[in-house]
């Protein structure tokens, strides 16, 4: 008789939980088959997302937020974008989770359980800005392949966990350490178990920063499955692809990590500016590190109409990768003149900063409010588009909203 591969009990119980009732004859379901009731899932319900989030792709899941949904100081799960490169792993029993630290530059190989992390190391919390390197890709021309993110691939949640540096120091790092690389539980879309969907990392100096965490909580609760349960690496201010979800191994490397999406054109930009559409050789591309200065007007929503009075209070957030934002300005005359906004200090390094301004419009009519942040080094956002690059990364153009005063 042909051997049928029946699904695991854990999968069956998660199906049952999602459907909300017992699956009679569920034990007959073959491996790889998804019950019809789960084939057309409602991603908003499945991931507890705001209905105004925008689904860009479902295989893998890529869902973006909108500026007005990002108004909170600390981004709630309901407004956080989702970026998957592969298939979400099954929710595992946290008791089974083990983290391995290894690599050429590790003094020894060591493993940690979740309980080890929680009991043997000091807990830290930071609010961290994570922005996808491809946020804003949709505006580049000629267009770049990949998810056509507009402005919603950024969030600033609060992450709690242990410092990666405490773990790496507990293992022991050799002097020749250059980089760390993460490995995770998600699986390749092709189903090929030898392929990883993504395995990126960062220089050892970034790995050793106080704010770089192995997080097991997001906004004070266990991390939602889609955002990396049970443990996620978080490295604020860098392309969010560095912040590996569902991690199970970190390698301390004696060279730049060479995992999936570290090589070629992935998360790389030309070393020198190129003309739009120009081909760039791999050796002339460099890995994106700190993200550029950027901001979002989160109130009001673009298209707002103001009646009777010609006054409007706007607000939003500004961030600048590793740097602090030192100036925030707005313009209501298409960039001809700029006025200063009130700008708060970040709650901690690598967290976005609140800005606000009270605008008085000179007469009734159509306006655009443009917002421009400048970092501590005096570098500002470009008004329209920054330099074109083959994969459409790092679009930090000024955010603009439409306002009608009637
Ligand atoms: N294991 C794993 N980690 C990952 C990814 C992934 O596909 N698999 N995507 C990366 C990318 S490209 C981004 S932008 C962020 C998105 O994080 P979020 O889905 O929690 O918003 O996770 C990063 N970490
Ligand atoms: Mo990303």
């Amino acid at each position: 008789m042909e051997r049928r591969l029946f699904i695991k009990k854990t999968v069956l119980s998660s199906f049952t939980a999602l459907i909300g009732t017992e699956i009679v004859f569920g034990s007959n379901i073959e491996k790889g088959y998804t019950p019809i009731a789960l084939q057309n899932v409602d991603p908003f319900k499945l991931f507890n997302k705001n209905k105004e989030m925008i689904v860009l792709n479902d295989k893998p899941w890529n869902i973006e937020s909108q500026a007005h949904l990002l108004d909170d100081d600390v981004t709630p799960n309901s407004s956080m974008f989702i970026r998957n490169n592969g298939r979400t792993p099954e929710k595992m029993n946290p008791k089974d989770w083990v983290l391995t630290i290894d690599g050429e530059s590790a003094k020894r190989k060591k493993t940690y359980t979740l309980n080890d992390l929680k009991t043997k190391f000091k807990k830290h919390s930071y609010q961290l800005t994570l922005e996808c390197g491809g946020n804003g890709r949709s505006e580049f021309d000629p267009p770049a392949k990949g998810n056509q993110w507009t402005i919603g691939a950024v969030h600033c949640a609060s992450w709690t966990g242990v410092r990666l540096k405490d773990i790496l120091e507990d293992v022991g790092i050799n002097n020749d350490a250059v980089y760390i690389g993460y490995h995770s539980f998600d699986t390749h879309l092709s189903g090929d178990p030898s392929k990883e969907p993504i395995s990126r990392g960062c220089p050892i100096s970034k790995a050793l920063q106080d704010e770089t965490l192995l997080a097991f909580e997001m906004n004070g609760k266990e991390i939602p499955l889609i955002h990396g349960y049970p443990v996620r690496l978080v490295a604020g201010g860098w392309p969010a692809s560095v912040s590996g979800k569902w991690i199970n191994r970190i390698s301390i490397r004696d060279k730049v990590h060479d995992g999936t999406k570290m090589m070629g054109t992935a998360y790389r930009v030309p070393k020198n500016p190129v003309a739009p559409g120009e081909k760039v050789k791999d050796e002339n591309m460099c890995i994106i590190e700190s993200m550029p200065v950027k901001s979002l007007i989160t109130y009001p929503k673009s298209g707002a109409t103001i009646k009777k009075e010609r006054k409007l209070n706007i607000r939003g957030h500004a961030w600048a990768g590793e740097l602090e934002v030192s100036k925030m300005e707005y313009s209501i005359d298409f960039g001809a003149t700029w006025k200063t906004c009130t700008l708060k200090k970040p709650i901690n390094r690598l967290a976005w900063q609140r800005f606000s301004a009270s605008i008085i419009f000179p007469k009734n009519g159509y306006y655009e409010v443009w917002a421009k942040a400048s970092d501590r080094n005096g570098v500002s956002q470009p008004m329209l588009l920054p330099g074109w690059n083959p994969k459409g990364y790092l679009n930090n153009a000024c955010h603009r909203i439409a306002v009608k005063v009637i």
Side-chain angles (χ1 to χ4, degrees):
M1 211 177 87
E2 192 192 333
R3 201 169 146 252
R4 295 166 70 178
L5 294 161
F6 295 107
I7 57 163
K8 279 195 258 165
K9 272 212 177 107
T10 51
V11 180
L12 182 61
S13 65
S14 67
F15 280 171
T16 303
L18 287 167
I19 291 172
T21 181
E22 186 201 353
I23 308 175
V24 183
F25 304 122
S27 60
N28 289 350
I29 297 177
E30 283 187 46
K31 200 178 168 210
Y33 181 80
T34 307
I36 293 163
L38 294 176
Q39 285 178 14
N40 289 315
V41 291
D42 175 346
F44 307 101
K45 261 198 206 151
L46 183 63
F47 304 126
N48 288 314
K49 296 293 172 187
N50 188 300
K51 282 240 158 41
E52 288 182 82
M53 299 279 287
I54 296 155
V55 179
L56 302 181
N57 196 352
D58 63 351
K59 290 183 188 71
W61 285 112
N62 285 289
I63 300 181
E64 83 165 326
S65 195
Q66 296 199 53
H68 69 279
L69 302 179
L70 293 168
D71 192 39
D72 299 82
D73 287 341
V74 182
T75 316
N77 173 62
S78 58
S79 296
M80 286 172 69
F81 79 95
I82 296 172
R83 185 345 179 197
N84 273 10
N85 288 266
R87 288 187 211 182
T88 316
E90 275 166 38
K91 183 160 177 168
M92 67 179 64
N93 185 340
K95 288 199 180 84
D96 298 335
W97 183 86
V98 198
L99 172 71
T100 303
I101 310 283
D102 63 5
E104 306 92 355
S105 300
K107 282 218 157 63
R108 63 186 73 81
K109 183 173 155 177
K110 212 167 163 180
T111 58
Y112 298 89
T113 64
L114 192 53
N115 199 44
D116 289 338
L117 296 192
K118 288 185 176 170
T119 57
K120 294 187 180 155
F121 299 91
K122 194 165 177 250
K123 218 161 98 163
H124 298 270
S125 296
Y126 295 102
Q127 217 189 302
L128 299 166
T129 309
L130 297 185
E131 181 179 14
C132 179
N135 196 19
R137 176 177 290 135
S138 64
E139 283 191 302
F140 283 108
D141 188 26
K145 281 201 195 113
N147 287 298
Q148 296 302 301
W149 304 108
T150 64
I151 47 179
V154 61
H155 46 63
C156 191
S158 168
W159 298 92
T160 300
V162 296
R163 285 185 171 141
L164 178 60
K165 79 169 186 189
D166 289 349
I167 306 294
L168 298 183
E169 279 161 11
D170 187 62
V171 171
I173 314 164
N174 289 334
N175 287 337
D176 60 357
V178 172
Y179 228 85
I180 60 122
Y182 68 74
H183 300 274
S184 317
F185 282 113
D186 48 344
T187 51
H188 199 267
L189 289 177
S190 66
D192 181 345
S194 69
K195 285 190 185 154
E196 287 176 293
I198 188 166
S199 168
R200 302 197 72 243
C202 61
I204 198 81
S205 54
K206 177 69 181 166
L208 296 178
Q209 280 184 1
D210 282 355
E211 301 83 3
T212 302
L213 298 180
L214 288 177
F216 40 75
E217 278 174 31
M218 186 185 100
N219 295 341
K221 297 195 189 109
E222 69 179 27
I223 302 176
L225 178 61
I226 197 69
H227 293 293
Y229 178 88
V231 176
R232 156 174 218 173
L233 175 66
V234 268
W238 283 45
S241 52
V242 175
S243 295
K245 306 193 271 191
W246 317 289
I247 55 159
N248 54 30
R249 178 153 72 97
I250 289 184
S251 302
I252 312 176
R253 308 296 314 265
D254 64 359
K255 57 178 179 192
V256 174
H257 181 56
D258 50 2
T260 308
K261 306 223 166 165
M262 281 303 293
M263 319 299 282
T265 52
Y267 303 102
R268 285 177 188 240
V269 288
K271 283 182 188 154
N272 297 306
V274 298
E278 202 175 305
K279 286 223 156 54
V280 189
K281 289 193 183 128
D282 283 1
E283 66 259 35
N284 294 330
M285 303 278 277
C286 61
I287 300 173
I288 302 169
E289 299 202 327
S290 175
M291 292 291 286
V293 62
K294 198 164 171 177
S295 58
L296 270 184
I297 303 166
T298 56
Y299 182 86
K301 183 178 170 178
S302 186
T305 301
I306 306 165
K307 291 178 189 155
K308 289 195 204 96
E309 54 174 337
R310 296 204 202 106
K311 217 179 110 197
L312 172 68
N313 293 323
I314 61 157
R315 60 177 184 259
H317 309 287
W319 61 97
E322 286 283 323
L323 301 174
E324 206 174 293
V325 176
S326 56
K327 189 167 71 174
M328 189 68 215
E329 295 161 291
Y330 74 88
S331 173
I332 57 166
D333 55 10
F334 299 95
T337 62
W338 294 87
K339 288 203 169 82
T340 309
C341 302
T342 306
L343 176 69
K344 282 196 186 160
K345 287 271 177 201
I347 187 158
N348 53 252
R349 223 176 68 76
L350 312 179
W352 64 19
Q353 294 166 244
R354 171 64 80 187
F355 71 82
S356 57
S358 187
I359 302 177
I360 293 166
F361 295 101
K363 56 188 268 195
N364 290 2
Y366 173 87
Y367 294 89
E368 289 185 11
V369 182
W370 294 11
K372 180 170 76 175
S374 304
D375 69 25
R376 210 180 46 207
N377 291 345
V379 177
S380 305
Q381 292 181 253
M383 276 194 264
L384 299 173
L385 272 175
W388 183 91
N389 62 88
K391 293 293 230 62
Y393 294 122
L394 307 184
N395 178 2
N396 65 335
C398 288
H399 185 217
R400 308 177 288 275
I401 62 163
V403 176
K404 255 194 238 166
V405 184
I406 56 171

